[in-house]
Every structure is written in structure tokens, then in C-alpha cells.
Amino acid sequence: MGWDESLADVLAQDARVLHELGITAVDLASALEDLLAAALSGDPPHNQREGYLVDIHLTPGFQICPFAPDPDHAQCTAGGGVRFGSVDWRIRNKRTGQHLKGPGLITHLIRAHGFFEGTGTPYRVDPAGLARLLELGPFARA
Ligand SMILES: [Zn+2]
């Protein structure tokens, strides 16, 4: 989080964006999780699926959810828990050329908390940008 923004403001603004797009945080999280799971499954060609190029980078340690009740000692269990806490990802939409990158933890933050990281951080994944990347809502192909 940047110091000049409150968590409540960021959550409210992102919720407004999702409402305007007509999609839910779970829609975004599910589509992103599907791509990451496929990329991690090892089925060749494991990094290409449905028009996407997915690069997974394994990170040392584990990204801990900041909403965890005791983040120094235990991972968050909200919304089914954290599934991709040891990877970073970069995804390219081969049809549009758009690409985004982010931490694996973001799938949990989006699904369980409706949080896309603060706008002042390098970890943020813009919800509208993610919807466009994943071709959801108004960006869905006809
Ligand atoms: Zn959490």
C-alpha cells in the first residue's frame, strides 16, 4: 500500500470498477487461477493455453496474506486459503499482445478479499486490466 491511500478507499474504488464491468472478483480470480494451475501442471505445452503465454517464476519463501489474523505465524484461510503463494507470474494474451505480471498471492487477495493491492505498489494488478487480459465482461470475445 502507498501511504497516501487508505485500504477502504482502494477496496471501494476497485469494487466500483468491478461493478461497472459487470464481473465479480471471483470471476477474475477463477480465470487467473485456471491459467496458473495449467501452467504449473506440467502438461506440455504447459505454458500455453487458450491463446495465452504464461511464465511462472518460483519465488523463495511464501507470500503471506496481509489479512491473515496472525500473519507472522499462519497463512490466511479465507476464501479457501492461499494457493499460489510461492510464484510470480507474467501472462501475455497472444491475441491482443497485452501482458500483465503479478504475485501468485493476488489470486487469493482478489477471491477472498476483493483486494488488488494498493495503487502505489509494484504488486498491484489493475482489475480492469486483468479483465481485459482474461477477456471477461465487456472484453469477452463475441
Ligand atoms: Zn487472506
Side-chain angles (χ1 to χ4, degrees):
M1 298 286 298
W3 290 110
D4 57 345
E5 58 186 347
S6 79
L7 176 60
D9 288 345
V10 171
L11 291 172
Q13 173 59 28
D14 286 342
R16 263 195 302 278
V17 169
L18 293 181
H19 180 74
E20 286 165 9
L21 292 172
I23 59 176
T24 67
V26 171
D27 293 337
L28 284 173
S30 296
L32 182 55
E33 287 162 357
D34 284 350
L35 283 178
L36 297 183
L40 286 164
S41 73
D43 295 333
H46 62 276
N47 64 339
Q48 297 195 37
R49 180 173 141 135
E50 297 165 14
Y52 292 93
L53 189 58
V54 181
D55 284 327
I56 300 282
H57 174 67
L58 297 176
T59 60
F62 209 80
Q63 300 157 9
I64 301 290
C65 174
F67 296 94
D70 184 10
D72 289 335
H73 299 99
Q75 185 59 281
C76 182
T77 57
V82 175
R83 205 173 149 198
F84 300 104
S86 296
V87 303
D88 288 333
W89 51 266
R90 179 186 294 268
I91 297 173
R92 178 182 175 84
N93 183 320
K94 292 194 287 186
R95 283 179 292 272
T96 65
Q98 183 198 1
H99 64 88
L100 284 178
K101 61 184 170 66
L105 182 66
I106 202 77
T107 63
H108 168 78
L109 294 178
I110 295 171
R111 173 183 291 280
H113 308 291
F115 185 46
F116 295 79
E117 286 282 5
T119 52
T121 78
Y123 309 111
R124 178 165 173 84
V125 177
D126 179 69
L130 186 59
R132 190 154 55 90
L133 182 81
L134 300 172
E135 301 183 356
L136 294 173
F139 307 108
R141 280 179 297 151

